[in-house]
Amino acid sequence: MTTSHTPDFELDRPGTVIAAVPAVLGFVPEMSLVLVTVDRGELGCVLRIDLAEDMTDQIAHLAEVAAAARPDGAVAVIVDEHGAGCHPCNDDYRDVAEQLADELDYRGIELLGAHVVDRVAAGGHWHCADGCGRGGVIEDPSSSPLALAAVLDGRRLYTGRAELQAVIAVDPTRSAALAEVIAACEGPEMSDADACAAITEARVAAAHVADGGTLADELAARLGRALRDVRVRDTLFALAVGEDADRAEALWVSLARILPAAYRVEALVLLAFSAYARGDGPLAGVSLEAALRIDGSHRMAGMLDQALQSGLRPERIRELAVTGYRLADQLGVRLPPQRIRRRRAG
């Protein structure tokens, strides 16, 4: 789920709305039902689910999540490569739209429109899901106001969900090897001094990875073990808002790819928090999804996922980093100062 303010945006032009979806969603959707919420005439949150034969439960959940932000209305976009000119499919599209409209209406949200598009790209074709006869061509998504805003904000736009998931794809060979290294170096619980040393080592490793270096097995194993210590992990959350944020995120990506599952989950949660804090909801989402697959009861992963699903804005989630700075003070660890964020004009 992602959110955006939409200055200079026309919600009554389906081609414009559809073209804006990749910039807000963070990637180009395929075979998807996308729900764009509208609040006081502006684009609100954007949610996506996969198309399937039976979408009853998925649509009900989609409407429930959308209702958490209390929008005035919503626009549905069905992305189906077979959508353009597929007359036999229209009944299916109409059924999906009607089911979604009922679920939204039950929660006090009006479905303002439902459109079918074959591809979210320049030249893609859309038409009304209810067979109203309207249709048109998609504007270039890369030229939409929201795409330009995303570039200015430093957010990455992914070509598809597969590219997004590839960011955290596991290296099974390396992961298996590290499982043996970690098992061989298991030891007693960390002291405060050990925790301080681990935090410092993580920062040094982050700089090394960001400069193109790789992690030796012994170092990766030590870091993996250290992240399971709550003091270490919660202190490292602060790096997401500090001047070393980019370096830290590079380390979390690297560890998420190579650590065995029980240790990988902590790297995924740190990556999710880092991505969420800088406004990359899609990367935060896939990271949390992977973390919760490993440990469905993980408290921090669950909390962040709930915040993301409910549309809590990045500036609010960044407040959690204060805990990391407080823990650092208690441990006597010096962290980089917080990065100053300046609001762009307009």
Side-chain angles (χ1 to χ4, degrees), residues 19-50:
V21 165
V24 184
L25 197 58
F27 60 93
V28 179
E30 298 176 342
M31 302 303 291
S32 303
L33 169 59
V34 180
L35 187 67
V36 180
T37 66
V38 181
D39 189 24
R40 292 183 292 275
E42 290 190 343
L43 191 68
C45 63
V46 178
L47 308 99
R48 187 209 69 90
I49 56 176
D50 291 327

Side-chain angles (χ1 to χ4, degrees), residues 47-183:
L47 308 99
R48 187 209 69 90
I49 56 176
D50 291 327
L51 293 181
E53 289 188 11
D54 183 0
M55 300 181 65
T56 303
D57 292 339
Q58 287 180 288
I59 288 175
H61 179 66
L62 187 71
E64 182 179 354
V65 173
R70 299 180 179 178
D72 302 322
V75 176
V77 179
I78 300 171
V79 186
D80 185 345
E81 62 184 346
H82 307 297
C86 178
H87 298 293
C89 301
N90 285 338
D91 288 342
D92 293 334
Y93 301 143
R94 185 182 294 108
D95 289 344
V96 168
E98 289 177 353
Q99 187 176 355
L100 179 59
D102 289 342
E103 292 289 351
L104 290 172
D105 182 67
Y106 176 73
R107 295 165 175 81
I109 304 169
E110 179 185 3
L111 183 62
L112 302 172
H115 313 295
V116 181
V117 61
D118 55 353
R119 56 193 177 94
V120 185
H125 290 82
W126 68 269
H127 66 266
C128 295
D130 61 4
C132 71
R134 293 185 63 201
V137 178
I138 305 302
E139 300 173 15
D140 185 358
S142 65
S143 299
S144 78
L146 291 182
L148 297 176
V151 172
L152 290 173
D153 285 341
R155 287 187 283 123
R156 178 179 176 183
L157 301 182
Y158 301 89
T159 59
R161 187 169 172 80
E163 182 187 0
L164 185 61
Q165 291 173 322
V167 174
I168 57 170
V170 176
D171 179 341
T173 302
R174 188 83 191 277
S175 180
L178 280 176
E180 296 181 5
V181 176
I182 292 174

Side-chain angles (χ1 to χ4, degrees), residues 310-330:
S310 63
L312 190 68
R313 295 192 178 279
E315 55 265 28
R316 293 291 305 280
I317 208 68
R318 285 196 289 268
E319 295 172 6
L320 290 175
V322 174
T323 300
Y325 280 99
R326 184 169 64 248
L327 287 171
D329 288 339
Q330 293 173 359

Side-chain angles (χ1 to χ4, degrees), residues 235-266:
T235 299
L236 291 172
F237 277 127
L239 296 183
V241 300
E243 293 182 351
D244 291 349
D246 295 341
R247 292 179 173 182
E249 187 165 318
L251 177 61
W252 310 146
V253 168
S254 180
L255 290 173
R257 289 171 171 168
I258 64 176
L259 287 175
Y263 300 86
R264 178 181 186 241
V265 64
E266 304 301 346

Side-chain angles (χ1 to χ4, degrees), residues 240 249 252 269-285 287 314:
E249 187 165 318
W252 310 146
V269 170
L270 282 162
L271 173 58
F273 181 77
S274 180
Y276 196 163
R278 65 176 174 80
D280 191 341
L283 181 56
S287 300

Side-chain angles (χ1 to χ4, degrees), residues 13-26:
R13 296 177 57 193
T16 301
V17 173
I18 297 170
V21 165
V24 184
L25 197 58

